Amino acid sequence: MIRGLDPRPPGRASELAERFGTPLYAFDGARMEAEARAFREAAGADVTVAYSVKSNPLMGLVARLNRAGCWAEVASGFEYRVARRAGVPGSQMVFNGPLKTGDELKRALEEGATVIADGAEQVRAIARLARHAAPGARIGLRLRPPDREATDRFGVPARVAPAAASVLRRAGLRLTGLHIHLGAYQLGPLPPAGPPIHGVTVQYPVPVSRFAAAAARLRETAERVGGVEWLDMGGGWPGAAGLGPYLAAVREALGPDAPPLILEPGRALIRDAGWLLTRVVARRGAGAVVVDAGITQVPCVLWKRSPVEAAEPRGGAERPTDLFGPLCLQHDAIAREVPLTPLRVGDLVWVGQTGAYAMAQASPFIHLRPGAVLVEGGRAALLRARETDDEALGAQAEPLLVGPEGRAVSAS
């Protein structure tokens, strides 16, 4: 039986805060590696597990997961370069995404990466670069999910796959794999009123019935194309403890003698291994406080409720508490009505389930981005230093002022 992750936050909050400051992202290295190995065990020896780098592109995490046996799935040239600098071999890269420049495709093909075309334009671009492809090049094609074939913005309809294979074949390449990514975020009908974000839904993990239908579509398309050597089922999977029923349904839909699978988990591997440590800086009545982290540090809280725990709970009865951030925005609340004992200024609070899609989507809006540490074996190692003014402003051109004589002079 595969057990789920320990949900408790890392210890020694006061020491971490004193040494590194707050807010601070903290990742439990042993917990993350244990989940990765458990996921691979639950998936089976014939399944390649490729960590979805977009969920958190910290090089220290990418390298740690690669040492635990995970490939890297990347969705841009930047992520490709991050994973390569983290030590992931080109042969263990899965290159996805709707934007791949010619230079990025050329490098990936030369390095033996698994390159997945996201549309007809990329199929043709890959064909033009055929002479750069390493021997045995692994070229895949992304298909639209069967339940969203008319609306999904990624990939191509399954009926296009044979034509794509022909384009590659004329260039001396083979279409060796097929890919479908279901995804947790879905763009629904635009509501008649309100902001466009109200048309977005989040569904994680993706229902098992959608995975089974996607697997059947891959099987049918592979039979029409012929010569398919692998199938990539994308992301949206639950953690190792809940993976069994999902893969059982997928294998049943694929039937016997199916090609080996690639899975692209992100949240499943690191969401629960990451926490944000934040400090109370002000009180706003009996049931509300201001902390030094806002929705720019944990944008995932706009989509879901994250667990919140006082690092060192005080005495007293729990009461519903709002945690407001430091941004000049009324809606800057990282938690609402969470049961906590009374908080005072200076108290430390953990916000959980921030390993994925928190740090990766953070921005320096009003306040700079926090640092990140890896906590393991009683030690904490810096993964990324706290952002500085020079880092945030370094790419900007120096402003110029016009002097009294009409000359342009430096602002300094």
Side-chain angles (χ1 to χ4, degrees), residues 176-198:
T176 62
L178 297 171
H179 172 270
I180 285 182
H181 177 71
L182 301 177
Y185 295 88
Q186 298 296 331
L187 188 63
L190 187 67
I197 197 172
H198 288 172

Side-chain angles (χ1 to χ4, degrees), residues 202-240:
V202 183
Q203 194 174 44
Y204 176 78
V206 173
V208 66
S209 58
R210 293 195 69 211
F211 277 114
R217 175 58 54 87
L218 288 176
R219 184 199 71 234
E220 296 161 0
T221 308
E223 290 172 351
R224 288 201 303 273
V225 171
V228 171
E229 299 172 358
W230 51 270
L231 300 173
D232 187 335
M233 292 288 297
W237 303 92

Side-chain angles (χ1 to χ4, degrees), residues 54-300:
K54 65 179 175 289
S55 61
N56 195 317
L58 270 177
M59 287 194 294
L61 303 187
V62 176
R64 184 61 179 273
L65 290 168
N66 186 240
R67 292 197 297 271
C70 296
W71 290 19
E73 182 269 329
V74 300
S76 71
F78 167 67
E79 288 187 354
Y80 189 99
R81 296 187 293 274
V82 167
R84 292 292 283 119
R85 289 183 65 173
V88 181
S91 60
Q92 294 182 11
M93 303 281 287
V94 178
F95 194 7
N96 269 307
L99 173 61
K100 305 180 182 77
T101 69
D103 287 343
E104 290 164 352
L105 280 172
K106 178 175 175 289
R107 178 181 181 180
L109 290 168
E110 288 175 340
E111 294 183 344
T114 298
V115 179
I116 298 176
D118 194 77
E121 298 86 354
Q122 286 190 7
V123 171
R124 292 192 288 269
I126 291 169
R128 289 193 294 269
L129 293 168
R131 68 185 184 279
H132 299 289
R138 289 165 55 93
I139 311 298
L141 179 68
R142 180 166 180 169
L143 307 181
R144 295 177 184 171
D147 58 339
R148 299 182 63 86
E149 193 164 72
T151 59
D152 201 276
R153 61 178 288 248
F154 297 103
V156 298
R159 66 178 183 276
V160 176
S166 295
V167 171
L168 294 172
R169 189 164 48 249
R170 288 195 295 271
L173 298 172
R174 293 178 51 243
L175 181 64
T176 62
L178 297 171
H179 172 270
I180 285 182
H181 177 71
L182 301 177
Y185 295 88
Q186 298 296 331
L187 188 63
L190 187 67
I197 197 172
H198 288 172
V200 178
T201 60
V202 183
Q203 194 174 44
Y204 176 78
V206 173
V208 66
S209 58
R210 293 195 69 211
F211 277 114
R217 175 58 54 87
L218 288 176
R219 184 199 71 234
E220 296 161 0
T221 308
E223 290 172 351
R224 288 201 303 273
V225 171
V228 171
E229 299 172 358
W230 51 270
L231 300 173
D232 187 335
M233 292 288 297
W237 303 92
L243 187 61
Y246 281 73
L247 276 181
V250 164
R251 292 186 186 281
E252 181 178 357
L254 290 175
D257 303 321
L261 289 175
I262 299 174
L263 308 184
E264 302 171 357
R267 285 181 181 86
L269 301 186
I270 65 167
R271 184 193 69 173
D272 294 340
W275 291 75
L276 179 70
L277 182 62
T278 185
R279 187 184 295 275
V280 176
V281 297
R283 296 181 64 189
R284 292 292 185 265
V289 298
V290 178
V291 296
D292 59 6
I295 55 174
T296 47
Q297 280 80 48
V298 279
C300 53

